[in-house]
Amino acid sequence: MQEQEKITDNIFEFPFYNNKGKLNSQKIIQTAFIIYILSMALLYHAGTFIYFYFQDYNVFQYYPEFIEQTVQYVQTEISNIIIYGVAYISLQEVLIYSSFVVFSLMPVFVFIKWIRDKARIQANLASVGLQHYYLKSIHKASNTYIFKLLKGHKMAYENFIREFDNLKQLFGQGDIAYSRYRADMVKVQFKEALIDIDAVKTTKTKISLSKLLTPNRLLLGIASLQAKPIFATNKEEGKGLLNGHWLIVGASGSGKSVSVKSFCMNFLLKENYKQIDKIFVINYKQSSDYNFLKALNKVKYAQDIKEGLKLLKEIQLDMFNKYLYNSHNDQDNFTAYQTLVIIDEIQTLPEMLDSKGLHKVQRNSIQESLSIIEMLGSKARASNISLMVILQKADVSSLPSTAFRQNLRNRFMLKQENNVSASLVINSEILEKENIHPLDLKQGQFIYLDTLKNEVHRGLTLFPDTKIDTQMLNSLPFDKETASVIKQVATYKAKSIEAIKQEQNELESLAESGKKTYYDTFEDVELEEQKNEKGIDILQDVEELLK
């Protein structure tokens, strides 16, 4: 058995090394010698070609003669050196020939280094029991390695991931993302290790949030100590920074408050602030985190059930107004300006419903608040109203519904308390593919996912260092077009209220008559049709009388 293993070790499954990374020295020397001879011949040929070309010798026309003369010249030189010795060669020729030798050796060195690097990687694979794979190709731009399974072996993807994690230090790389590639390959992408606050503090170059803020882009943080910025995906249509709703989740001490404040600094940039008509803040957390916004005239603030419901009703009415505006102007989506809604510690609402001492009015108000929030999640996008929902931890009961969570397109995850919470923010398959460990994140480190575009970014949020010029922002006017649209939207307020009132009256009427739905039976449908026809006939009679 031992003899068999020894024989297997000496079989070179690759031309220059075996599956355990042992080099085939004889094959390498032979190949290196061939490369050296070829490179010297090509280099000498190229040199003489260029020399004669600049001597006004028509090389292209007399190329066969050129080759013949070159060969004769080389033969003559070699013969003279053999007959007369080294003394025959002049100093100038020594320098020229030495240059040819040195430059001819360069491809040899490149070849040997390439083989040694591949053999080293193969040895690393073998060291963790992955000798049945080999390096197929490297894509330097994306820092991606593709490993292929040797013929006759069975793919064990989970085992590959588990064992390859041990090679992170050997490759000298940061985090790793894995994915299956065809039937017999594994794609391994090395990513920069997440930077932390301590690294930013000790770096010589000061990294400033204010210098990275950009008009029409939502800055999330940085990806490296070179201050490479990470932006949210661009908004597809209309004014504003947010391309849909957001879910921000971070455990206590994860840097959530700082991250949210950094988010807000984007909106307070002069160019971006013009594109927002209102910022609604419902702070169920009742913290001082949003005091920096209260002096702004576009900000409306609430921190309890009563005030929160009032703002939610106002937002809901604004959404209905914009729907009427869209309908009147034959457009699907509202694009003139954006409305931002921040709801912090939303899980407070379902938690309070469990309280036995809750008054009926309070209970109904909480249920109504959750109902409006869920409606905004599914319908507010068309009115360019974007929610920013903030949680300490995600669980099944912390949000109004699963459908509501799915409507929160953008996910911003900081350090998590448990894996269940993490998987509710970002799908566990994505976490596994990107090799993300949410429980190991440090303060300020985040993972961003755009669920629609399936883009994942990792970085560090920056501490806000910008002083807010409240006076300037409060005096900043809308452009004429935006101001005009704001006035037009406001004119639909009465119509929206009347439409909502009529719907509520209809619902109450149906309930009083014992109906369970709008149309319980087919007879109800027929009766509705008859009423409509009768109404048309009456209108026609009125028109005849007026004539």
Side-chain angles (χ1 to χ4, degrees), residues 18-59:
N18 67 2
N19 66 344
K20 293 187 177 180
K22 182 181 177 182
L23 292 169
N24 186 344
S25 302
Q26 184 179 354
K27 185 72 174 178
I28 292 171
I29 291 169
Q30 290 173 352
T31 308
F33 181 73
I34 293 170
I35 292 171
Y36 175 69
I37 296 299
L38 288 174
S39 61
M40 180 177 276
L42 287 170
L43 194 63
Y44 182 82
H45 178 74
T48 52
F49 184 94
I50 293 168
Y51 173 78
F52 284 113
Y53 179 81
F54 283 104
Q55 295 295 321
D56 294 329
Y57 183 88
N58 196 336
V59 179

Side-chain angles (χ1 to χ4, degrees), residues 81-329:
I81 291 171
I82 293 171
I83 296 169
Y84 301 108
V86 180
Y88 171 78
I89 306 172
S90 66
L91 180 61
Q92 184 180 1
E93 288 176 323
V94 168
L95 292 173
I96 292 171
Y97 293 148
S98 298
S99 300
F100 275 122
V101 171
V102 171
F103 284 113
S104 298
L105 282 171
M106 289 178 67
V108 176
F109 292 142
V110 171
F111 164 73
I112 292 173
K113 184 181 183 304
W114 176 65
I115 293 300
R116 286 175 65 89
D117 287 345
K118 292 196 75 173
R120 177 179 56 81
I121 291 172
Q122 192 63 39
N124 289 341
L125 290 172
S127 69
V128 292
L130 297 176
Q131 64 269 19
H132 303 316
Y133 298 84
Y134 69 95
L135 181 63
K136 174 71 175 174
S137 60
I138 302 174
H139 302 278
K140 290 187 177 180
S142 58
N143 206 12
T144 301
Y145 292 65
I146 295 177
F147 294 91
K148 187 172 183 178
L149 191 68
L150 289 170
K151 288 182 179 179
H153 295 280
K154 188 178 179 182
M155 170 67 78
Y157 181 65
E158 299 298 330
N159 180 64
F160 183 94
I161 292 175
R162 185 171 56 255
E163 299 299 340
F164 199 90
D165 268 340
N166 299 321
L167 296 178
K168 191 185 295 186
Q169 298 298 327
L170 293 174
F171 276 86
Q173 300 282 354
D175 294 329
I176 307 174
Y178 301 97
S179 60
R180 290 289 293 266
Y181 186 66
R182 299 178 184 169
D184 58 348
M185 299 187 206
V186 181
K187 186 184 288 186
V188 178
Q189 184 178 13
F190 290 98
K191 300 187 176 184
E192 288 186 71
L194 273 172
I195 58 172
D196 55 34
I197 293 175
D198 293 334
V200 173
K201 287 179 179 177
T202 55
T203 187
K204 294 180 180 179
T205 308
K206 184 182 178 182
I207 301 174
S208 171
L209 173 73
S210 57
K211 291 180 180 179
L212 295 174
L213 292 173
T214 307
N216 301 312
R217 297 298 304 274
L218 181 61
L219 177 71
L220 303 178
I222 55 172
S224 65
L225 290 175
Q226 288 71 45
K228 179 184 177 183
I230 299 175
F231 294 102
T233 50
N234 289 330
K235 185 172 172 59
E236 289 87 359
E237 184 182 12
K239 292 182 179 179
L241 298 179
L242 300 180
N243 59 349
H245 304 313
W246 284 68
L247 176 62
I248 300 172
V249 184
S252 179
S254 64
K256 184 168 79 273
S257 297
V258 172
S259 297
V260 173
K261 189 171 183 180
S262 295
F263 266 52
C264 291
M265 299 312 295
N266 284 276
F267 304 109
L268 304 186
L269 195 65
K270 183 180 176 181
E271 294 84 353
N272 298 335
Y273 197 67
K274 290 179 179 181
Q275 302 181 42
I276 298 174
D277 74 318
K278 286 284 187 294
I279 300 176
F280 293 93
V281 179
I282 304 175
N283 181 17
Y284 292 118
K285 187 179 177 182
Q286 297 188 355
S287 63
S288 59
D289 293 346
Y290 302 95
N291 286 352
F292 71 101
L293 292 174
K294 288 182 178 180
L296 296 170
N297 55 16
K298 289 185 180 181
V299 174
K300 291 202 168 187
Y301 181 85
Q303 63 176 21
D304 59 28
I305 301 169
K306 180 182 176 182
E307 294 172 348
L309 180 58
K310 180 176 177 290
L311 286 193
L312 287 170
K313 287 281 188 182
E314 190 175 331
I315 298 162
Q316 185 184 28
L317 182 60
D318 182 50
M319 181 183 73
F320 290 142
N321 294 344
K322 290 172 181 174
Y323 274 174
L324 289 173
Y325 177 88
N326 287 346
S327 177
H328 185 265
N329 290 277

Side-chain angles (χ1 to χ4, degrees), residues 529-546:
E529 291 293 329
Q530 290 173 14
K531 284 181 180 179
N532 290 339
E533 289 174 5
K534 189 175 180 181
I536 292 169
D537 291 340
I538 291 169
L539 285 172
Q540 289 174 347
D541 292 341
V542 170
E543 287 176 2
E544 289 296 326
L545 287 168
L546 288 171

Side-chain angles (χ1 to χ4, degrees), residues 341-495:
V341 181
I342 300 172
I343 306 175
D344 203 338
E345 299 294 351
I346 190 176
Q347 78 275 4
T348 303
L349 295 176
E351 286 173 359
M352 289 180 69
L353 282 175
D354 296 332
S355 176
K356 293 180 179 179
L358 204 62
H359 191 277
K360 183 180 179 180
V361 173
Q362 292 175 315
R363 186 176 298 277
N364 291 340
S365 297
I366 292 172
Q367 290 173 339
E368 177 70 3
S369 297
L370 288 169
S371 177
I372 294 172
I373 291 170
E374 186 164 15
M375 177 190 284
L376 293 172
S378 61
K379 295 184 177 181
R381 262 193 68 239
S383 58
N384 209 1
I385 297 174
S386 290
L387 305 180
M388 190 179 288
V389 179
I390 303 163
L391 289 168
Q392 191 167 16
K393 65 177 180 178
D395 56 47
V396 178
S397 61
S398 58
L399 294 170
S401 67
T402 302
F404 176 78
R405 178 170 62 87
Q406 290 172 344
N407 282 321
L408 303 176
R409 168 180 169 176
N410 299 277
R411 311 295 175 84
F412 187 88
M413 182 173 69
L414 296 121
K415 181 179 174 63
Q416 297 296 294
E417 292 181 359
N418 54 67
N419 288 318
V420 175
S421 175
S423 62
L424 286 171
V425 184
I426 297 178
N427 188 288
S428 55
E429 291 180 3
I430 295 174
L431 294 176
E432 183 180 330
K433 179 183 175 183
E434 297 290 330
N435 200 29
I436 297 169
H437 305 287
L439 276 63
D440 297 336
L441 294 175
K442 297 179 181 179
Q443 188 179 37
Q445 292 179 337
F446 68 83
I447 312 297
Y448 165 65
L449 167 68
D450 180 340
T451 58
L452 191 63
K453 294 187 176 181
N454 207 30
E455 286 189 21
V456 181
H457 298 283
R458 304 184 291 178
L460 179 73
T461 191
L462 293 174
F463 192 84
D465 59 348
T466 307
K467 187 177 180 181
I468 301 170
D469 191 342
T470 304
Q471 187 176 355
M472 182 274 293
L473 292 174
N474 284 340
S475 61
L476 198 64
F478 290 108
D479 58 61
K480 290 183 180 180
E481 185 181 349
T482 304
S484 175
V485 174
I486 290 173
K487 287 181 180 179
Q488 289 181 56
V489 170
T491 62
Y492 292 105
K493 186 176 181 179
K495 290 182 181 180

